Amino acid sequence: MALKIVKGSIDRMFDKNLQDLVRGIRNHKEDEAKYISTCIDEIKQELKQDNIAVKANAVCKLTYLQMLGYDVSWAAFNIVEVMSSSKFTYKRIGYLAASQCFHESTDVIMLTTNQIRKDLSSPNQYDTGVALTGLSCFVTPDLARDLANDIMTLMSHTKPYIRKKAVLIMYKVFLKYPESLRPAFPRLKEKLEDPDPGVQSAAVNVICELARRNPKNYLSLAPLFFKLMTSSTNNWVLIKIIKLFGALTPLEPRLGKKLIEPLTNLIHSVLSLFIVKYLGLLAMSKILKTHPKSVQSHKDLILQCLDDKDESIRLRALDLLYGMVSKKNLMEIVKKLMLHVDKAEGTTYRDELLTKIIDICSQRAYNCLWYISILVELTRLEGTRHGHLIASQMLDVAIRVKAIRAFAVAQMATLLDNAHLLTGNTQRNGICEVLYAAAWICGEFSEHLEEPMATLEAMLRPKVATLPGHIQAVYVQNAAKLFATVLRGQEGAPADSTVAQETSQLLIDRLPLFVQSSNLEVQERASCILQLVKYIQKLQQKDVEVAEEVTALFAGELNPVAPKAQKKVPVPEGLDLDVWINEPPSGSESEDEGRKSKGKAVFAKDESRHTKPRYTEVDEKELAKRREVRKAEQANNPFYIKASPSSQKVRRHSVSKPNPSPSFSLRLWMPMSDQYVKLEEERRERNKADKKKKKDKKKREKGEKGRRRRGDSGPESEEDITPAHMVDIVTEEMPENALPSDDDDKDPNDPHKALNIDLDNCPLMDYQVVVSVIFENKCDSFIKSMEFNVLDSLNSKLQRPDGAGPHDGLIVPFQLPPGISNEARFIFSVQNIVMPQKLKGTLTFIVKTDDSSTHEKLDFKLHFTCTSYLITTPCYSDAYSKLLESGDLKGCSLKLEGVNQPFHHLLARICFHHHFSVVERIDSCASMYSRSIQGHHMCLLVKTADQTVSIDAKCDEPGLLGNVLDEIKLTFSQC
Amino acid sequence: MTMHFLLLFSRQGKLRLQKWFTPIPEREKKKIVRDMTTMVLGRKPRSCNFLHWKDLKIVYKKYASLYFCCGLDAEENELLALEVLHRYVELLDKYFGNVCELDIIFNFEKAYFILDEFLLGGEVQETSKQVVSRSIEASDMLQEVSERPCSR
């Protein structure tokens, strides 16, 4: 009987399996919490039983409750029990529960190591399978360390089912236990060529993940992936590989060329998923930057993509085409694009197409006739928003290129004649903007019109009054210009004067319509011109020839003023721009830097300035330089580049003749040359040096003015701006042992950092330089949320954490109470160390005062001198002489005069400031040595004789040597 | 692919399945689930399937009354993630035969087992549907043979 009761109760408990629980919860919507708490009590009872089946059932139900948000951590040990069951059914449930409930801080995980190891080596592949699956969810650093070897063995298991799981889980193991990467890598690499596609794709997955984080360590695998890409038919794998190549190509430019072919094939292939196509185009656009030629040859294919159903793909292809346009293929590509414009569906895409066409042409069109006709053709587009863009391009070309004006005017006249087509049905139609350009061009260049009378009539049609106000205004104004031209033609001909009078009458008839316009400008112009014409008619009736005088109203040409025009204005004779109009008050901050050095001098000194002829000479030189600098600045200024009429001042009767010649090309944009940049830098430096000089000026330095430069790595504080709160940025770049490693703990939480392991000892592509910056809070308020950002140059880049964009700033990991300073380190990767570098940067921060906080910004510059790439390296004299004998080094020399310091001081200076070490010293002669972070040898032979120091230097990189010598010279010119 | 989590929830915000590929403390999980359900359910119909949440990309798709939602690294491809979600639905459909929400509620452990054969550690483990269903069938066979009281 008792047995029966027990058995019955067991049966009942068995009855309540997962399904019952779920059903029960659904049936107890009203008192769910109460129902579940009774269930949990039952489960606790079940867990106490010895029967593993009962326990497993209980654990299964717990897993469900866990999902509903109930805490089941108390059952962790029971879960382990179920995991250890020898039966697959229970084991499976146990591992499932563990993978759902365990996390790194679950302490029972420690107990599982042996059980898992046993399961991993089970003869049943499904036992191993569930163990691996479970482990992937709750692997801890300890488990990873203890089991790494077992999992590695499984990577070569006979069953592909196990192999692929083992390969995938290795990634999790690497993250938890980075040391395992190096030993496991060869086997992982092997799996890329596994006969089973599943294992292969798993290996591709893992390596792609690894490579995405630290691409340079995986460059050597490129050929293997290349092979896979051409052979694999699995789209999932292909996507991964293409993404991987996206990460690798920036590091190895040669890859780009090779990739083109297979990528094209992929785009071609029938089986391609649209995603693959998309990614292929994306990858091509990346390759385009480095290998324009190789992409060029696939133009037709890319053009084909413009027909794709998918808009994203079309836009990608368009982007790509935009980058490919060259002088040669311009017309062809634009022609194709024009065809597409007609077919294109969807206004956004069409607008995009249109802007791209105009963009392409405006930058590269050499044939202006053709360009105008393209623009006219574009006006046929309906519903585009870019009428304004087309209009401004029309004006631009017509104004600048004299030779095509006749053609342009003819085209514009046709446009005006067909204006009704453009204004069409919708008033909001943006394309009517082109009428603005058309009217202006026809009016301004009316002498080219074949039938000015017809155009005049077209411009005065009543329909014009429906156009937007600003266009009407242009119509009215240019009707007047046309009128002048017409008059001249009519009076010149020996016809009777009534024709001319009729013309005036036409205007008098039509203009009142515009006088009534609601737009003020239209009204004003119309009434002004109406009165004028009435007066002209009066004169005409008296048989007075008026044409000359009317034309005079609009005489002269509107010229585009080139950005450089102002500078080309000759200085009138007798005007000396360098002479003060008013003598500046001495010592004022606004002083011109060339003069200020003596400005604050004692009274008596004032005279000496005027009596010194040499001084003004230097001055002029500087001025010339500054002029250059200004040029550079203007070339750099975006507002000077855009030569569209809107931003460019169009002035009547311009003083000089700048350069409106027909040859004036459409390409105004000139890339700023490096020289300008350098000049600019020099100017700033001089600027600063002068400022500094001013403070600690010594009289005897007067003679050295020309050489004033500053190059030490000292304070690079605010130079251009004076922020409300002073934060002095002291940059102490690159301590001697600039480490090519990143052993900093910038982001200790990022597990991927630890995986940056050089797997093949392949040489680093670029060098890392650590810059430590000292931030000092000089104001009285609390400073926080500092963000440090530097504008990367091609050569030097700030290393940002994974996932950060190339323009994101780095957060300075501390806050600054008033008067406190702290140091932060930033890592830069530098490719070329031959040239000194200056990087512009910004520090943004929040200044917190008691009642408010403001967001402030501070600009600064980081000066990477060539010296800072040198590492003090000792060298023995025999090695030194061997080096010199080898003949690999190129020489250069330097003479310093007026150095009156002891020789050993001089050597110490070179050692300290420029990271050299003395190899040998004999009397007043010494040999010195240093090495760059890229392993260039640098040898100096320093001699001194009565205040003159001569330095003979040799190095295997002459550029670097020259720059270092310059810097040495600078050091001594400053002492 | 590196998925961080996969959640299935109903239109009412009831969680139907959760899979965490990276170990996350319980409290954090609850917060994520809450955020996801409110965010995704709050989306207007016909809006796109992608969201940004903290530094993750959230990709979701609604199948009948059930939302499939996963969190990815920011640099992952969301289209690929949609493909992954869809493949999982296909697998469920193949296993249950015209799968519906109730199938997943009542056989939620099976849904997990299928998922575990398809994804591992957030990565796609097996791209072939056949291979996945074959291994599920084989495991089920093993379970049937070993005993019955626990199963239906």
Side-chain angles (χ1 to χ4, degrees), chain A residues 598-626:
Chain A
K598 299 294 161 285
K600 213 189 173 117
V602 199
F603 234 167
K605 292 267 159 49
D606 223 3
E607 238 175 52
S608 73
R609 189 173 72 188
H610 295 297
T611 54
K612 209 162 282 166
R614 195 177 157 226
Y615 184 66
T616 45
E617 202 182 291
V618 173
D619 226 25
E620 265 162 25
K621 246 186 245 163
E622 283 212 4
L623 276 169
K625 263 189 190 166
R626 257 181 283 140

mmCIF file of all heavy atoms in Angstrom, chain A residues 598-626:
data_model
loop_
_atom_site.group_PDB
_atom_site.id
_atom_site.type_symbol
_atom_site.label_atom_id
_atom_site.label_comp_id
_atom_site.label_asym_id
_atom_site.label_seq_id
_atom_site.Cartn_x
_atom_site.Cartn_y
_atom_site.Cartn_z
ATOM 1 N N LYS A 598 61.501 94.301 -31.337
ATOM 2 C CA LYS A 598 62.109 95.452 -30.667
ATOM 3 C C LYS A 598 61.079 96.377 -30.078
ATOM 4 O O LYS A 598 61.386 97.431 -29.552
ATOM 5 C CB LYS A 598 62.953 96.244 -31.667
ATOM 6 C CG LYS A 598 64.056 95.428 -32.241
ATOM 7 C CD LYS A 598 65.046 95.091 -31.156
ATOM 8 C CE LYS A 598 65.888 93.931 -31.563
ATOM 9 N NZ LYS A 598 65.211 92.652 -31.496
ATOM 10 N N GLY A 599 59.848 96.022 -30.255
ATOM 11 C CA GLY A 599 58.781 96.960 -29.912
ATOM 12 C C GLY A 599 58.809 97.406 -28.464
ATOM 13 O O GLY A 599 58.632 98.577 -28.173
ATOM 14 N N LYS A 600 59.064 96.500 -27.589
ATOM 15 C CA LYS A 600 58.912 96.846 -26.200
ATOM 16 C C LYS A 600 60.205 97.390 -25.611
ATOM 17 O O LYS A 600 60.360 97.509 -24.414
ATOM 18 C CB LYS A 600 58.462 95.613 -25.420
ATOM 19 C CG LYS A 600 57.569 96.018 -24.273
ATOM 20 C CD LYS A 600 57.290 94.880 -23.387
ATOM 21 C CE LYS A 600 56.537 95.407 -22.158
ATOM 22 N NZ LYS A 600 55.233 94.857 -22.079
ATOM 23 N N ALA A 601 61.127 97.678 -26.497
ATOM 24 C CA ALA A 601 62.443 98.104 -26.034
ATOM 25 C C ALA A 601 62.334 99.384 -25.222
ATOM 26 O O ALA A 601 61.331 100.081 -25.251
ATOM 27 C CB ALA A 601 63.350 98.346 -27.217
ATOM 28 N N VAL A 602 63.400 99.626 -24.540
ATOM 29 C CA VAL A 602 63.455 100.855 -23.743
ATOM 30 C C VAL A 602 63.401 102.036 -24.722
ATOM 31 O O VAL A 602 63.701 101.894 -25.897
ATOM 32 C CB VAL A 602 64.771 100.881 -22.960
ATOM 33 C CG1 VAL A 602 64.663 101.858 -21.816
ATOM 34 C CG2 VAL A 602 65.096 99.489 -22.471
ATOM 35 N N PHE A 603 63.059 103.141 -24.233
ATOM 36 C CA PHE A 603 62.859 104.313 -25.072
ATOM 37 C C PHE A 603 64.005 104.545 -26.048
ATOM 38 O O PHE A 603 63.809 104.757 -27.229
ATOM 39 C CB PHE A 603 62.710 105.544 -24.179
ATOM 40 C CG PHE A 603 61.458 106.285 -24.470
ATOM 41 C CD1 PHE A 603 61.005 107.255 -23.599
ATOM 42 C CD2 PHE A 603 60.722 105.997 -25.620
ATOM 43 C CE1 PHE A 603 59.842 107.925 -23.849
ATOM 44 C CE2 PHE A 603 59.563 106.681 -25.868
ATOM 45 C CZ PHE A 603 59.111 107.653 -24.993
ATOM 46 N N ALA A 604 65.191 104.502 -25.513
ATOM 47 C CA ALA A 604 66.362 104.831 -26.316
ATOM 48 C C ALA A 604 66.517 103.928 -27.532
ATOM 49 O O ALA A 604 67.039 104.321 -28.551
ATOM 50 C CB ALA A 604 67.612 104.752 -25.463
ATOM 51 N N LYS A 605 66.012 102.731 -27.412
ATOM 52 C CA LYS A 605 66.194 101.754 -28.484
ATOM 53 C C LYS A 605 65.412 102.131 -29.735
ATOM 54 O O LYS A 605 65.731 101.733 -30.832
ATOM 55 C CB LYS A 605 65.709 100.389 -28.015
ATOM 56 C CG LYS A 605 66.561 99.823 -26.948
ATOM 57 C CD LYS A 605 67.615 98.950 -27.563
ATOM 58 C CE LYS A 605 68.771 98.773 -26.606
ATOM 59 N NZ LYS A 605 68.339 98.404 -25.268
ATOM 60 N N ASP A 606 64.373 102.847 -29.528
ATOM 61 C CA ASP A 606 63.482 103.170 -30.621
ATOM 62 C C ASP A 606 64.241 103.709 -31.829
ATOM 63 O O ASP A 606 63.956 103.372 -32.961
ATOM 64 C CB ASP A 606 62.475 104.211 -30.136
ATOM 65 C CG ASP A 606 61.098 103.861 -30.618
ATOM 66 O OD1 ASP A 606 60.965 102.794 -31.271
ATOM 67 O OD2 ASP A 606 60.178 104.633 -30.385
ATOM 68 N N GLU A 607 65.212 104.528 -31.549
ATOM 69 C CA GLU A 607 65.992 105.164 -32.590
ATOM 70 C C GLU A 607 66.759 104.143 -33.406
ATOM 71 O O GLU A 607 66.772 104.179 -34.625
ATOM 72 C CB GLU A 607 66.970 106.123 -31.946
ATOM 73 C CG GLU A 607 66.780 107.531 -32.446
ATOM 74 C CD GLU A 607 67.692 108.440 -31.679
ATOM 75 O OE1 GLU A 607 68.886 108.125 -31.628
ATOM 76 O OE2 GLU A 607 67.206 109.419 -31.138
ATOM 77 N N SER A 608 67.345 103.231 -32.658
ATOM 78 C CA SER A 608 68.213 102.276 -33.326
ATOM 79 C C SER A 608 67.448 101.512 -34.400
ATOM 80 O O SER A 608 67.995 101.086 -35.394
ATOM 81 C CB SER A 608 68.809 101.300 -32.324
ATOM 82 O OG SER A 608 67.804 100.415 -31.900
ATOM 83 N N ARG A 609 66.177 101.353 -34.204
ATOM 84 C CA ARG A 609 65.409 100.606 -35.177
ATOM 85 C C ARG A 609 65.386 101.330 -36.522
ATOM 86 O O ARG A 609 65.550 100.738 -37.572
ATOM 87 C CB ARG A 609 63.982 100.424 -34.676
ATOM 88 C CG ARG A 609 63.213 99.490 -35.543
ATOM 89 C CD ARG A 609 61.896 99.189 -34.961
ATOM 90 N NE ARG A 609 61.016 100.331 -35.063
ATOM 91 C CZ ARG A 609 59.822 100.380 -34.483
ATOM 92 N NH1 ARG A 609 59.441 99.390 -33.734
ATOM 93 N NH2 ARG A 609 59.058 101.428 -34.629
ATOM 94 N N HIS A 610 65.180 102.620 -36.434
ATOM 95 C CA HIS A 610 65.096 103.369 -37.680
ATOM 96 C C HIS A 610 66.422 103.460 -38.386
ATOM 97 O O HIS A 610 66.473 103.571 -39.597
ATOM 98 C CB HIS A 610 64.565 104.776 -37.402
ATOM 99 C CG HIS A 610 63.168 104.735 -36.890
ATOM 100 N ND1 HIS A 610 62.124 104.244 -37.621
ATOM 101 C CD2 HIS A 610 62.650 105.082 -35.681
ATOM 102 C CE1 HIS A 610 61.018 104.310 -36.925
ATOM 103 N NE2 HIS A 610 61.308 104.804 -35.733
ATOM 104 N N THR A 611 67.482 103.415 -37.633
ATOM 105 C CA THR A 611 68.785 103.620 -38.253
ATOM 106 C C THR A 611 69.366 102.333 -38.811
ATOM 107 O O THR A 611 70.412 102.341 -39.429
ATOM 108 C CB THR A 611 69.785 104.187 -37.239
ATOM 109 O OG1 THR A 611 69.780 103.321 -36.114
ATOM 110 C CG2 THR A 611 69.404 105.594 -36.827
ATOM 111 N N LYS A 612 68.677 101.250 -38.580
ATOM 112 C CA LYS A 612 69.264 99.986 -39.026
ATOM 113 C C LYS A 612 68.714 99.579 -40.390
ATOM 114 O O LYS A 612 67.589 99.102 -40.486
ATOM 115 C CB LYS A 612 68.963 98.903 -38.008
ATOM 116 C CG LYS A 612 70.037 97.850 -38.006
ATOM 117 C CD LYS A 612 69.994 97.060 -36.771
ATOM 118 C CE LYS A 612 70.621 97.785 -35.610
ATOM 119 N NZ LYS A 612 70.356 97.245 -34.340
ATOM 120 N N PRO A 613 69.482 99.726 -41.420
ATOM 121 C CA PRO A 613 68.953 99.402 -42.747
ATOM 122 C C PRO A 613 68.744 97.905 -42.925
ATOM 123 O O PRO A 613 67.834 97.469 -43.601
ATOM 124 C CB PRO A 613 70.024 99.929 -43.696
ATOM 125 C CG PRO A 613 71.279 100.014 -42.892
ATOM 126 C CD PRO A 613 70.885 100.189 -41.481
ATOM 127 N N ARG A 614 69.596 97.123 -42.317
ATOM 128 C CA ARG A 614 69.529 95.698 -42.539
ATOM 129 C C ARG A 614 68.220 95.111 -42.009
ATOM 130 O O ARG A 614 67.697 94.129 -42.497
ATOM 131 C CB ARG A 614 70.698 95.037 -41.813
ATOM 132 C CG ARG A 614 70.885 93.630 -42.319
ATOM 133 C CD ARG A 614 72.042 92.949 -41.704
ATOM 134 N NE ARG A 614 71.801 91.540 -41.826
ATOM 135 C CZ ARG A 614 71.959 90.685 -40.856
ATOM 136 N NH1 ARG A 614 72.401 91.091 -39.707
ATOM 137 N NH2 ARG A 614 71.693 89.423 -41.043
ATOM 138 N N TYR A 615 67.760 95.782 -41.017
ATOM 139 C CA TYR A 615 66.564 95.278 -40.376
ATOM 140 C C TYR A 615 65.386 95.257 -41.348
ATOM 141 O O TYR A 615 64.678 94.269 -41.469
ATOM 142 C CB TYR A 615 66.238 96.162 -39.187
ATOM 143 C CG TYR A 615 65.071 95.656 -38.425
ATOM 144 C CD1 TYR A 615 65.128 94.454 -37.748
ATOM 145 C CD2 TYR A 615 63.872 96.369 -38.434
ATOM 146 C CE1 TYR A 615 64.050 93.972 -37.082
ATOM 147 C CE2 TYR A 615 62.797 95.891 -37.766
ATOM 148 C CZ TYR A 615 62.878 94.705 -37.081
ATOM 149 O OH TYR A 615 61.794 94.222 -36.421
ATOM 150 N N THR A 616 65.207 96.307 -42.074
ATOM 151 C CA THR A 616 64.083 96.349 -42.998
ATOM 152 C C THR A 616 64.227 95.298 -44.092
ATOM 153 O O THR A 616 63.245 94.788 -44.607
ATOM 154 C CB THR A 616 63.958 97.727 -43.647
ATOM 155 O OG1 THR A 616 65.262 98.126 -44.032
ATOM 156 C CG2 THR A 616 63.354 98.729 -42.709
ATOM 157 N N GLU A 617 65.445 95.007 -44.398
ATOM 158 C CA GLU A 617 65.663 94.004 -45.431
ATOM 159 C C GLU A 617 65.082 92.653 -45.013
ATOM 160 O O GLU A 617 64.343 92.025 -45.743
ATOM 161 C CB GLU A 617 67.168 93.887 -45.644
ATOM 162 C CG GLU A 617 67.560 93.326 -46.976
ATOM 163 C CD GLU A 617 69.064 93.224 -47.018
ATOM 164 O OE1 GLU A 617 69.711 94.273 -47.045
ATOM 165 O OE2 GLU A 617 69.563 92.107 -46.987
ATOM 166 N N VAL A 618 65.424 92.296 -43.818
ATOM 167 C CA VAL A 618 64.889 91.045 -43.283
ATOM 168 C C VAL A 618 63.368 91.087 -43.320
ATOM 169 O O VAL A 618 62.701 90.137 -43.681
ATOM 170 C CB VAL A 618 65.363 90.849 -41.838
ATOM 171 C CG1 VAL A 618 64.682 89.648 -41.231
ATOM 172 C CG2 VAL A 618 66.863 90.700 -41.818
ATOM 173 N N ASP A 619 62.898 92.232 -42.962
ATOM 174 C CA ASP A 619 61.480 92.438 -42.923
ATOM 175 C C ASP A 619 60.811 92.104 -44.251
ATOM 176 O O ASP A 619 59.819 91.404 -44.319
ATOM 177 C CB ASP A 619 61.245 93.908 -42.614
ATOM 178 C CG ASP A 619 60.200 94.023 -41.541
ATOM 179 O OD1 ASP A 619 60.066 93.059 -40.777
ATOM 180 O OD2 ASP A 619 59.534 95.052 -41.491
ATOM 181 N N GLU A 620 61.406 92.610 -45.297
ATOM 182 C CA GLU A 620 60.800 92.397 -46.600
ATOM 183 C C GLU A 620 60.795 90.927 -46.981
ATOM 184 O O GLU A 620 59.847 90.418 -47.561
ATOM 185 C CB GLU A 620 61.547 93.216 -47.652
ATOM 186 C CG GLU A 620 60.868 94.562 -47.878
ATOM 187 C CD GLU A 620 61.784 95.543 -48.551
ATOM 188 O OE1 GLU A 620 62.721 95.096 -49.243
ATOM 189 O OE2 GLU A 620 61.555 96.726 -48.363
ATOM 190 N N LYS A 621 61.866 90.323 -46.624
ATOM 191 C CA LYS A 621 61.940 88.883 -46.900
ATOM 192 C C LYS A 621 60.795 88.169 -46.201
ATOM 193 O O LYS A 621 60.100 87.348 -46.771
ATOM 194 C CB LYS A 621 63.272 88.329 -46.390
ATOM 195 C CG LYS A 621 64.162 87.847 -47.525
ATOM 196 C CD LYS A 621 65.367 87.190 -46.961
ATOM 197 C CE LYS A 621 66.615 87.956 -47.305
ATOM 198 N NZ LYS A 621 67.758 87.590 -46.476
ATOM 199 N N GLU A 622 60.627 88.553 -44.980
ATOM 200 C CA GLU A 622 59.567 87.904 -44.212
ATOM 201 C C GLU A 622 58.210 88.182 -44.818
ATOM 202 O O GLU A 622 57.353 87.316 -44.889
ATOM 203 C CB GLU A 622 59.595 88.411 -42.777
ATOM 204 C CG GLU A 622 60.710 87.786 -41.994
ATOM 205 C CD GLU A 622 60.328 87.636 -40.536
ATOM 206 O OE1 GLU A 622 59.184 87.952 -40.183
ATOM 207 O OE2 GLU A 622 61.195 87.190 -39.792
ATOM 208 N N LEU A 623 58.076 89.404 -45.233
ATOM 209 C CA LEU A 623 56.790 89.764 -45.823
ATOM 210 C C LEU A 623 56.517 88.929 -47.063
ATOM 211 O O LEU A 623 55.405 88.446 -47.267
ATOM 212 C CB LEU A 623 56.794 91.239 -46.193
ATOM 213 C CG LEU A 623 56.450 92.166 -45.033
ATOM 214 C CD1 LEU A 623 56.746 93.593 -45.410
ATOM 215 C CD2 LEU A 623 54.990 92.005 -44.664
ATOM 216 N N ALA A 624 57.551 88.760 -47.854
ATOM 217 C CA ALA A 624 57.384 87.953 -49.051
ATOM 218 C C ALA A 624 56.942 86.554 -48.679
ATOM 219 O O ALA A 624 56.041 85.972 -49.281
ATOM 220 C CB ALA A 624 58.694 87.911 -49.827
ATOM 221 N N LYS A 625 57.565 86.096 -47.642
ATOM 222 C CA LYS A 625 57.223 84.740 -47.192
ATOM 223 C C LYS A 625 55.789 84.684 -46.733
ATOM 224 O O LYS A 625 55.049 83.770 -47.038
ATOM 225 C CB LYS A 625 58.131 84.324 -46.037
ATOM 226 C CG LYS A 625 59.285 83.486 -46.509
ATOM 227 C CD LYS A 625 60.006 82.921 -45.318
ATOM 228 C CE LYS A 625 61.301 82.288 -45.738
ATOM 229 N NZ LYS A 625 62.163 82.018 -44.606
ATOM 230 N N ARG A 626 55.433 85.694 -46.001
ATOM 231 C CA ARG A 626 54.079 85.671 -45.475
ATOM 232 C C ARG A 626 53.048 85.732 -46.600
ATOM 233 O O ARG A 626 51.984 85.163 -46.515
ATOM 234 C CB ARG A 626 53.863 86.823 -44.497
ATOM 235 C CG ARG A 626 53.897 86.321 -43.064
ATOM 236 C CD ARG A 626 53.675 87.424 -42.096
ATOM 237 N NE ARG A 626 54.885 88.197 -41.955
ATOM 238 C CZ ARG A 626 54.886 89.519 -41.867
ATOM 239 N NH1 ARG A 626 53.768 90.194 -41.956
ATOM 240 N NH2 ARG A 626 56.010 90.169 -41.709
#
